[in-house]
Amino acid sequence: MKHALLPSCIFALLLATLHADAATLTGTVIDAKTSATIPSRVYIQGESGEWLFPRSASPDGSAVYYQKSRLKESVEMHTTLSAHPFRIDLPAGNYTITAERGKEYRPLKETVTVTDKPLTVRLPLERWINMAKRGWFSADTHVHRPIEDLPNIMLAEDLNVAFPLTYWVTRAFEAPSQGDKNTRDKHGTDLIEIDNTRVIHPRNTEYEIFTVNGQRHMLGAVFVLGHKRVLDFGAPTVQPIAAARDAEGTPLLDLDKHNWPWSMAIMPLLNVDLFELSNNHLWRTKFAFTNWAEPAPAYMKLDFHGSGPGVEMAWARFGFENYYALLNCGFRINPSGGTASGVHPVPLGFGRVYVHLKNGFSYEAFRDGLKRGSSFVTTGPMLDVQLNGERPGREWKRNAGSKPFKARFTGTAINARPLTSIEVLFNGRVVKTMVPGNSTNSDGAFESQVEFETEATQSGWFVARCWQIDDDGRFRFAHTAPWRIEIPGKPLRPRREQIDYLIQRVKDQIERSRETLPKAAIDEYREALRFYEKLAE
């Protein structure tokens, strides 16, 4: 397929052709081991800072251009290319070319000098891990890219499953069937198969409410993933969303960011399946949203002052701590990873969720594994950890009077760069911090063994997470879904500061929306408040 150039692309290409000394640069991105041409994401930047966008050099190839920015330094300017050579006409000068492919290849950056003669470059990308061979397959659960472009982009990003939000409503009470940001629903509900391990589920809905009766009154967002029926009711109220999911049986409800105003108030009402632990404010480029929506509570001890990488870390940890508070309330939610690529300056799948499928790939198996929590989310590292020989999503129910639950963690944390730390948490508290071994394996990756034993004397959950923190403070992480243990007579309880925070979040929304939302919506909030207050007792 071919795609029309966006205006700034046209400008960049016209700029090149206006120069008499323009020359054609032809490039090929290849797998360093096999020398096969591979799909990829390519950045080309001139020495004065301008971004340029190559075209496919093959009549059978495709190129998709992406240009998004938030701040001056928060920009994403790239081209995703099919497995064919690319071509671009450039004036004489120096250019930086960066080639990437998803998470499992090392990025490659080269500087080239263009003269008045044609130039050919080969860009070999080294694969540092092959997750599919290990039984892991990836998805982006928050997608705003056109379905027609997704085959190109998913191959370039080495992504297995995409859930494009083809129905998108931003006004309260308006049905997604009449959504103000819908895309064309010409694909229906038939699964789109790119190849035998890459699929697109074409019908998904985002309720993202910004206005109520024409007035600015932000509520928040929740996704219905993988449904069949076109949803013909608005929100709030929100409980009909859960009823529609339950009526079909197979769709998943994914809670968008934790600090939307309504997020904690709708949690007890929806029986949400997924929590966007790697969310759409975490980007490859500079973090931008430093002071947004509901603030973090004091007990989390997070510093949101300034605008550097420390604020980005605080944002990620805010999501983690909020997730832990919900898990301690007994919510059975598993992590998801979504980018909102198409809206934000971030490549598709920059943050993604991997699901382990022991019997090979199918969409149904992936969906069920995502719901079950046989998964981890990542912005870079790969975390394949087992508890007592079982991957995340496993549950143990003990008998009354049983001895403490003995937990033995084994596995590996692997990354293209050295890891900084590996942690195991129980009920939201770190019980073990490991210094990564960072041994170089046969693929040139940094591999660290995870070996740790502990025990649980009360009901709860374990998770593992790991960090790559660079010298400049930028970071990448991976985080597993929970393993759960139920011990009779020793129930899981939220900590006092956690439940107080959740109660206050709901009270604030009742007060804030009392004069704006209808009584039925406020009654839902009061139902959520009663749920949290009962836990507080």
Side-chain angles (χ1 to χ4, degrees):
M1 67 184 76
K2 295 184 178 180
H3 304 278
L5 295 177
L6 298 175
S8 65
C9 300
I10 294 174
F11 176 79
L13 293 176
L14 285 175
L15 182 66
T17 57
L18 287 173
H19 286 72
D21 56 351
T24 299
L25 181 147
T26 302
T28 307
V29 181
I30 63 171
D31 183 291
K33 187 174 183 179
T34 67
S35 296
T37 305
I38 55 175
S40 61
R41 173 176 12 105
V42 170
Y43 303 80
I44 302 178
Q45 189 172 25
E47 53 193 334
S48 60
E50 74 276 16
W51 295 97
L52 302 114
F53 301 82
R55 61 193 183 275
S56 178
S58 169
D60 298 321
S62 63
V64 175
Y65 308 100
Y66 194 68
Q67 303 170 87
K68 295 288 179 182
S69 62
R70 278 290 180 268
L71 303 175
K72 182 180 179 181
E73 297 175 293
S74 299
V75 299
E76 185 64 39
M77 303 287 178
H78 68 249
T79 307
T80 50
L81 294 155
S82 58
H84 300 87
F86 63 84
R87 183 172 296 160
I88 184 169
D89 298 323
L90 298 172
N94 296 319
Y95 298 86
T96 299
I97 304 177
T98 303
E100 299 190 16
R101 189 183 186 212
K103 294 296 179 191
E104 301 176 24
Y105 286 81
R106 286 187 183 82
L108 177 68
K109 180 182 288 189
E110 290 194 0
T111 299
V112 299
T113 299
V114 175
T115 62
D116 59 349
K117 294 181 173 55
L119 178 65
T120 299
V121 296
R122 283 166 62 86
L123 302 167
L125 297 188
E126 297 178 349
R127 181 186 275 276
W128 60 270
I129 197 167
N130 189 324
M131 293 299 285
K133 285 188 175 180
R134 297 167 180 252
W136 291 95
F137 300 89
S138 62
D140 189 324
T141 61
H142 189 173
V143 178
H144 286 293
R145 307 296 292 270
I147 287 180
E148 300 76 35
D149 291 346
L150 281 176
N152 166 289
I153 304 168
M154 289 174 66
L155 287 165
E157 300 297 352
D158 202 14
L159 193 72
N160 299 103
V161 183
F163 295 93
L165 292 156
T166 44
Y167 289 87
W168 184 11
V169 61
T170 65
R171 297 189 284 248
F173 320 125
E174 186 171 75
S177 58
Q178 303 299 317
D180 55 308
K181 291 196 174 184
N182 290 353
T183 57
R184 292 180 297 165
D185 185 15
K186 64 181 181 180
H187 299 280
T189 61
D190 292 338
L191 202 65
I192 301 170
E193 296 184 354
I194 301 171
D195 58 32
N196 59 1
T197 62
R198 301 179 200 281
V199 299
I200 304 164
H201 194 291
R203 182 166 289 174
N204 313 280
T205 291
E206 178 172 8
Y207 289 90
E208 186 180 29
I209 309 304
F210 286 103
T211 62
V212 178
N213 296 325
Q215 301 299 312
R216 181 76 173 182
H217 188 80
M218 188 168 65
L219 296 178
V222 65
F223 315 137
V224 188
L225 303 178
H227 62 96
K228 295 182 178 179
R229 171 194 165 194
V230 177
L231 303 178
D232 57 2
F233 52 86
T237 57
V238 299
Q239 286 169 309
I241 300 173
R245 182 270 314 275
D246 295 343
E248 285 194 27
T250 56
L252 303 174
L253 294 188
D254 190 0
L255 186 72
D256 192 25
K257 290 174 294 296
H258 51 283
N259 71 328
W260 281 110
W262 76 353
S263 291
M264 296 305 103
I266 65 175
M267 273 299 305
L269 307 171
L270 287 179
N271 189 24
V272 168
D273 303 290
L274 305 172
F275 179 99
E276 199 174 87
L277 196 60
S278 177
N279 61 61
N280 65 339
H281 286 184
L282 295 168
W283 303 335
R284 177 185 181 275
T285 188
K286 183 180 178 181
F287 180 71
F289 293 109
T290 58
N291 184 18
W292 180 81
E294 299 298 302
Y299 85 84
M300 293 183 185
K301 299 179 181 178
L302 301 172
D303 185 1
F304 279 89
H305 295 93
S307 60
V311 180
E312 183 181 23
M313 176 67 80
W315 169 250
R317 289 187 178 274
F318 183 11
F320 290 2
E321 292 296 331
N322 210 136
Y323 181 53
Y324 303 156
L326 295 173
L327 290 176
N328 282 348
C329 289
F331 292 112
R332 302 181 67 80
I333 45 175
N334 292 309
S336 63
T339 60
S341 183
V343 173
H344 290 312
V346 59
L348 185 75
F350 171 77
R352 62 181 67 188
V353 57
Y354 277 89
V355 175
H356 190 263
L357 305 178
K358 61 182 179 180
N359 295 319
F361 180 84
S362 73
Y363 169 75
E364 293 76 16
F366 185 94
R367 176 199 62 209
D368 294 346
L370 183 59
K371 179 181 176 68
R372 186 173 61 251
S374 182
S375 60
F376 70 91
V377 298
T378 184
T379 60
M382 302 300 168
L383 191 55
D384 190 355
V385 176
Q386 300 181 37
L387 192 166
N388 295 348
E390 301 286 349
R391 287 191 167 85
R394 177 71 159 83
E395 300 180 35
W396 289 268
K397 294 186 178 182
R398 308 288 281 176
N399 296 323
S402 297
K403 294 180 180 180
F405 178 84
K406 293 190 179 300
R408 182 172 184 266
F409 289 88
T410 57
T412 56
I414 309 176
N415 196 32
R417 301 178 65 178
L419 290 171
T420 306
S421 66
I422 305 169
E423 299 166 313
V424 173
L425 295 83
F426 182 65
N427 292 352
R429 294 190 186 277
V430 176
V431 295
K432 179 66 174 179
T433 299
M434 287 162 269
V435 177
N438 287 322
S439 299
T440 305
N441 65 18
S442 59
D443 294 315
F446 294 90
E447 185 166 343
S448 301
Q449 298 303 311
V450 176
E451 292 189 9
F452 171 62
E453 293 186 7
T454 186
E455 62 180 35
T457 58
Q458 70 175 89
S459 298
W461 49 271
F462 286 100
V463 295
R465 68 190 190 194
C466 64
W467 300 90
Q468 168 206 320
I469 304 177
D470 298 330
D471 292 341
D472 63 359
R474 294 300 303 276
F475 63 91
R476 300 287 184 264
F477 70 85
H479 193 299
T480 70
W483 296 265
R484 295 178 172 88
I485 302 99
E486 183 178 320
I487 298 177
K490 305 280 184 73
L492 173 65
R493 299 290 191 210
R495 301 198 299 272
R496 171 54 63 180
E497 64 266 25
Q498 293 174 325
I499 195 64
D500 286 349
Y501 161 63
L502 296 171
I503 287 172
Q504 192 59 51
R505 282 282 300 268
V506 182
K507 285 182 175 179
D508 288 348
Q509 292 315 304
I510 291 173
E511 185 61 31
R512 171 178 175 264
S513 297
R514 189 188 307 275
E515 303 300 324
T516 306
L517 297 182
K519 180 178 181 300
I522 298 299
D523 286 345
E524 281 192 331
Y525 283 0
R526 295 189 194 282
E527 183 179 339
L529 181 60
R530 288 192 294 271
F531 172 88
Y532 289 130
E533 288 178 336
K534 186 175 180 180
L535 283 178
E537 294 174 3

